[in-house]
Amino acid sequence: MIRSGDDYRESIRDGREVWVGGERVKDVTVHPAFKPVVDLRARLYDMAHADATKEVMSYVDEDGERNAVPLKLPRTTDDWRAKRRAVEAMMDEAGGVVTRVGDETVGEMWSLYDGSEVLAEIDPRFAENIERHIWRVLRGDLFHVSANTDPKGDRSKLPQDQDPDMLLHVVRETDAGIVVRGAKYETAAAYANQAFVKPTIANWGKEELSDYAVGFVAPMNAKGMKHICRSGFAGRGVEDYPLACRFDEVDTLIIFDDVTVPWEDVLFYRHTRAAAFIRGTLHRYSAFPYVHRILRMADFMIGAAMFNARQTGLDKQPAVQEKLAQLACYREGINAHLTAAIADGERSPRGLLMPNQSLLYTGRVLACTQLPAMMHLTRELCGGQICVTPDSTSFRHPELQPWLHKFYTINERWDADDRRKLLAFARDLVNSDYAGHRLTFKLFAQSPPFAHLAAVYRNFNFDGPLRAVKKSAGLSDKVMAEKPRP
Ligand SMILES: Cc1cc2nc3c(=O)[nH]c(=O)nc-3n(C[C@H](O)[C@H](O)[C@H](O)COP(=O)(O)OP(=O)(O)OC[C@H]3O[C@@H](n4cnc5c(N)ncnc54)[C@H](O)[C@@H]3O)c2cc1C
């Protein structure tokens, strides 16, 4: 089934308790902090119905039902190419980068699907729940987000030795389900339908069972749940902050104040081995759409820098061309990893097609670690005017306009109005508080950098380089038998 934008809007008018700036939000679909991104998400839903985009955004399944391409379980390279096209179409329609609109988090459920046999061995009670939830998201066209990160507290102490709620945990079991208490950070939760809640990266030590090892699906209007959102970037004037005002994906601290999770929504419980397994495989699919968004950010940086260089004829300078080429190398480096990860995909334990894991995780490190340097290079190429230019109201003011037009008009192609717009765009891309927020999002939202490198370490095949050195250095066979140190 595919939902319309209005179906989506209706689905989030469900009595959820949302707060922003100390204000209780009655309806997230109309509140100024959320409306731009809710409208955008609704437009993306409508794309699956519109004649021009229907075929790229949806497909007909074996039961004759039309479903959303981004939510489809990937089984072939063509499925991945279709997903890539759908995300490109979404970002073309949006005119900007939105990451947490569902397709980028649904893959966490596919990892669970892959692991359902392993999880059933650990605790057979929940295998059916996993399977049912996978299909529920697809068939219900749900907007599904991700909840991993707790406030954590003092990590030199065990959770039990401080306020135990610093990490989300089970406080009791009832016939109806488990009751959980704690808090999680979640982007987009206030306007999504549900989240896959699971433990953050944790050192489980030798404990086999823990009240903290729990994973479940929670609706965003559950009784006892409070969304306390950070203040929004929207509303500052779209002419001066064209990205912040349209693409702010508001983050939430969700409080779970004794929330009951029905047994049918529990995906794993108490077994630390299950929790560790989930953490180890969580991003095997979802890293792809996460990195894909950075490709579009790279395109925006190249476009902004190149327009700025061309305006003033700086693109003729070899030193400037080199810097533009560096941005192009970054962009194509990401593109190469994404393209090759699909072309060289790997079969998962349940028969899905995973992007090549080593290429995907190394691509994520390339894209995320180089992003600050590339933003800085863009800032440099755009010049200091991105942070000193007066705002749009000054450009329209009758007394100021002649001066600003005089000093911001460059030639017959670039009048003052276009120059101001480009500078405002570039500022919001690499220099504004929203730009800084996006950079931090890419640093952390799919786990912190050390976890990205740990994923590379676990997935890169070190045997090839070892064999090459063994042969070339004439080492004996026994060196290959050495087990990696824990
Ligand atoms: C904009 C934004 C959006 C987010 N959206 C979501 C979301 O939708 N869902 C969600 O679940 N989470 C989300 N997060 C949270 C994100 O997952 C966490 O910020 C991230 O996992 C890091 O956790 P932390 O902030 O608690 O930092 P910490 O765990 O305190 O880590 C801070 C730093 O300490 C060091 N460090 C900590 N532990 C280790 C270690 N074991 N080994 C080596 N170094 C270590 C590293 O340098 C690390 O970067 C979001 C974060 C941001 C900033």
Side-chain angles (χ1 to χ4, degrees):
M1 161 187 140
I2 43 170
R3 295 195 296 177
S4 68
D6 282 342
D7 294 335
Y8 156 64
R9 284 194 187 89
E10 204 42 51
S11 75
I12 57 173
R13 289 193 191 107
D14 55 4
R16 59 188 59 202
E17 186 179 337
V18 176
W19 294 80
V20 66
E23 175 196 348
R24 172 83 195 261
V25 177
K26 285 199 195 74
D27 180 351
V28 282
T29 67
V30 293
H31 189 280
F34 302 98
K35 189 176 184 318
V37 73
V38 168
D39 285 349
L40 173 56
R41 184 66 192 91
R43 252 161 67 208
L44 302 181
Y45 271 116
D46 284 336
M47 285 176 76
H49 298 265
D51 287 342
T53 44
K54 183 177 172 169
E55 294 310 324
V56 81
M57 295 306 297
S58 64
Y59 69 101
V60 178
D61 70 12
E62 51 283 2
D63 301 325
E65 188 86 39
R66 195 167 271 281
N67 290 316
V69 164
L71 304 183
K72 186 181 185 193
L73 269 76
R75 298 185 193 279
T76 64
T77 45
D78 278 349
D79 286 340
W80 278 106
R81 291 197 181 110
K83 285 178 188 301
R84 208 174 155 171
R85 279 195 299 275
V87 170
E88 295 288 345
M90 286 195 307
M91 286 191 284
D92 287 346
E93 167 69 24
V97 179
V98 271
T99 304
R100 208 134 280 184
V101 286
D103 68 291
E104 177 261 342
T105 34
V106 70
E108 293 182 352
M109 297 286 278
W110 306 335
S111 304
L112 210 58
Y113 177 79
D114 276 346
S116 49
E117 277 173 26
V118 179
L119 294 173
E121 267 172 40
I122 301 169
D123 189 337
R125 285 179 295 168
F126 307 118
E128 264 181 37
N129 295 350
I130 296 169
E131 193 97 10
R132 188 163 28 76
H133 272 290
I134 297 283
W135 295 111
R136 215 179 137 255
V137 172
L138 178 62
R139 303 249 157 86
D141 202 9
L142 299 178
F143 181 3
H144 171 97
V145 294
S146 167
N148 311 291
T149 305
D150 314 72
K152 294 192 178 89
D154 182 345
R155 276 171 284 172
S156 65
K157 292 181 181 161
L158 289 172
Q160 296 86 341
D161 296 339
Q162 54 184 310
D163 179 343
D165 303 343
M166 285 298 182
L167 295 179
L168 183 129
H169 63 119
V170 177
V171 285
R172 61 181 176 277
E173 292 180 20
T174 69
D175 289 346
I178 53 176
V179 178
V180 297
R181 193 183 298 160
K184 292 277 181 187
Y185 292 102
E186 285 176 50
T187 303
Y191 51 95
N193 294 118
Q194 63 174 36
F196 173 19
V197 184
K198 57 228 166 278
T200 192
I201 302 163
N203 179 6
W204 299 105
K206 291 199 168 60
E207 263 190 290
E208 272 185 29
L209 298 178
S210 165
D211 289 337
Y212 292 88
V214 60
F216 55 91
V217 172
M220 296 293 91
N221 66 341
K223 190 162 175 280
M225 186 183 275
K226 250 186 228 320
H227 298 245
I228 309 179
C229 301
R230 65 153 170 82
S231 54
F233 293 103
R236 295 179 63 182
V238 72
E239 285 190 72
D240 293 301
Y241 294 91
L243 301 176
C245 290
R246 291 182 297 159
F247 305 109
D248 183 18
E249 301 183 66
V250 183
D251 312 279
T252 297
L253 176 67
I254 295 202
I255 311 294
F256 293 78
D257 182 13
D258 286 9
V259 171
T260 298
V261 181
W263 286 113
E264 56 269 25
D265 295 338
V266 179
L267 305 180
F268 59 91
Y269 174 38
R270 304 214 72 218
H271 293 272
T272 55
R273 201 151 68 85
F277 174 83
I278 294 303
R279 287 295 337 175
T281 59
L282 193 64
H283 297 137
R284 66 162 52 145
Y285 302 99
S286 60
F288 189 92
Y290 191 72
V291 174
H292 191 180
R293 274 25 183 226
I294 306 179
L295 187 69
R296 183 56 67 103
M297 288 170 81
D299 281 337
F300 276 163
M301 290 191 284
I302 294 170
M306 182 59 116
F307 268 140
N308 266 288
R310 280 191 184 164
Q311 276 180 344
T312 49
L314 281 174
D315 60 321
K316 309 290 179 305
Q317 301 274 349
V320 171
Q321 290 173 356
E322 270 177 33
K323 287 177 183 156
L324 288 162
Q326 265 178 278
L327 285 177
C329 289
Y330 173 64
R331 193 255 180 224
E332 290 298 64
I334 300 170
N335 185 25
H337 276 85
L338 292 175
T339 306
I342 294 178
D344 232 356
E346 300 170 64
R347 223 18 89 190
S348 82
R350 289 287 299 274
L352 302 182
L353 190 77
M354 307 186 290
N356 182 287
Q357 296 291 280
S358 186
L359 289 168
L360 180 59
Y361 287 131
T362 49
R364 183 169 68 172
V365 169
L366 166 81
C368 293
T369 58
Q370 296 306 301
L371 183 58
M374 293 302 123
M375 285 174 79
H376 194 60
L377 194 56
T378 306
R379 198 180 281 135
E380 187 193 326
L381 284 166
C382 290
Q385 290 190 32
I386 59 173
C387 71
V388 294
T389 293
D391 66 4
S392 55
T393 48
S394 303
F395 275 76
R396 281 196 301 269
H397 193 280
E399 264 182 61
L400 309 178
Q401 196 186 51
W403 291 107
L404 289 171
H405 276 217
K406 174 179 166 65
F407 290 113
Y408 276 85
T409 298
I410 296 178
N411 52 37
E412 63 287 351
R413 273 179 299 112
W414 282 96
D415 60 30
D417 196 37
D418 276 338
R419 176 135 179 89
R420 186 203 65 74
K421 281 184 186 161
L422 181 65
L423 290 168
F425 175 88
R427 173 177 58 184
D428 224 6
L429 185 66
V430 296
N431 225 42
S432 66
D433 49 0
Y434 168 75
H437 179 84
R438 296 306 295 177
L439 181 62
T440 312
F441 179 87
K442 284 299 175 192
L443 180 70
F444 279 131
Q446 216 175 61
S447 70
F450 75 86
H452 291 191
L453 283 169
V456 169
Y457 188 81
R458 284 196 306 271
N459 287 278
F460 178 76
N461 186 351
F462 285 93
D463 280 352
L466 290 176
R467 269 197 303 275
V469 170
K470 176 186 166 281
K471 182 165 185 208
S472 188
L475 306 179
S476 64
D477 287 346
K478 61 183 187 296
V479 297
M480 289 302 282
E482 192 179 354
K483 292 257 182 323
R485 291 190 176 80

